[in-house]
């Protein structure tokens, strides 16, 4: 059973461009969480999704950020019009049941 | 809102020694889970151990064990017979049962195992 997969592993964008981060959960997992990690800090919750539904997006900025988890395909975190402050590591985690999350390797986003 | 506090930014021990990482949390809820995650230099987040708040017995996974004190809201991690590969950031995390708002992490402890 492959682990949680994220791509790309590294992403460089210029200010104003769009960033799309993908997450494929472990087989059989229907719960997906996205977190952001700034340098020298712990992870901060952004959004929790189940198939085709956003359950909780209380940690996600109201503007420029969106997330989806379609019936088919990976979950996508989309950041529009990126700014330098969006530079961070973005981690996806999946769970079969809500209480135990397994993390992907993360996507390092650098905004120039 | 719940908070998780790790008061030791960095710790260093010799290989084969036992080390304890501390974690305290604050919540008014009664049903929750506690976790320790490890983040080695590869930056991958790896689940080390999990504890259900309703269980009094402390969780154990091989060389890793916890001391869960619910009344004191304390959740420390003990690593026995430490190995060089244990060098990593260790994050304590909390989640409500139901998990709608995800994990709340502490700021982490950087553990260095010296040869």
């Amino acid at each position: 059973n492959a682990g949680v997969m994220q791509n790309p592993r590294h992403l460089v964008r210029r200010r104003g461009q769009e960033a799309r981060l993908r997450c494929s959960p472990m087989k059989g997992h229907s719960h997906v969480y996205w977190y952001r990690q700034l340098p020298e800090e712990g992870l901060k919750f952004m959004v929790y999704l189940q198939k085709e539904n956003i359950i909780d997006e209380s940690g996600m900025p109201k503007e420029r950020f969106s997330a989806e988890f379609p019936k088919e395909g990976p979950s996508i975190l989309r950041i529009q019009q990126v700014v330098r402050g969006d530079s961070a590591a973005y981690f996806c985690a999946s769970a079969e049941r809500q209480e135990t999350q397994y993390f992907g390797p993360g996507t390092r986003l650098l905004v120039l | 809102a719940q908070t998780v506090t790790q008061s030791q930014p960095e710790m260093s021990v010799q290989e084969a020694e036992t080390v304890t990482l501390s974690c305290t949390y604050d919540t008014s809820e009664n049903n929750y889970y506690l976790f320790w995650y490890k983040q080695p230099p590869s930056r991958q987040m790896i689940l080390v151990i999990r504890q259900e708040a309703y269980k009094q017995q402390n969780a154990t996974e091989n060389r890793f064990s916890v001391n869960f004190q619910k009344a004191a809201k304390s959740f420390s991690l003990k690593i026995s017979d430490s190995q060089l590969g244990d060098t990593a950031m260790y994050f304590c995390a909390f989640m409500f049962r139901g998990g709608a708002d995800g994990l709340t992490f502490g700021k982490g402890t950087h553990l260095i195992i010296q040869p």
Side-chain angles (χ1 to χ4, degrees), chain A residues 11-23:
Chain A
L11 183 61
V12 179
R13 285 287 178 265
R14 297 192 181 279
R15 283 178 295 171
Q17 292 184 320
E18 179 180 286
R20 280 190 179 228
L21 287 63
R22 295 176 187 78
C23 169

Side-chain angles (χ1 to χ4, degrees), chain B residues 58-110:
Chain B
N58 289 323
T60 299
E61 288 286 342
N62 300 314
R63 297 184 294 109
F64 299 87
S65 62
V66 298
N67 183 3
F68 174 46
Q69 302 289 328
K70 191 172 183 179
K73 296 180 182 176
S74 171
F75 183 62
S76 60
L77 174 70
K78 186 172 84 171
I79 306 173
S80 303
D81 186 26
S82 58
Q83 301 174 0
L84 296 179
D86 295 334
T87 293
M89 285 291 292
Y90 286 81
F91 293 97
C92 178
F94 170 104
M95 190 172 78
F96 290 119
R97 192 165 184 163
D101 55 353
L103 291 158
T104 298
F105 285 88
K107 289 187 179 296
T109 295
H110 185 204

Side-chain angles (χ1 to χ4, degrees), chain A residues 35 98-101 103 108, chain B residues 35 37 43 50 98 103:
Chain A
Y35 295 84
Q98 291 169 314
E99 64 269 16
T100 302
Q101 298 176 29
F103 283 80
R108 276 78 183 166
Chain B
F35 305 84
Y37 281 88
R43 305 291 301 277
R50 178 187 107 155
L103 291 158

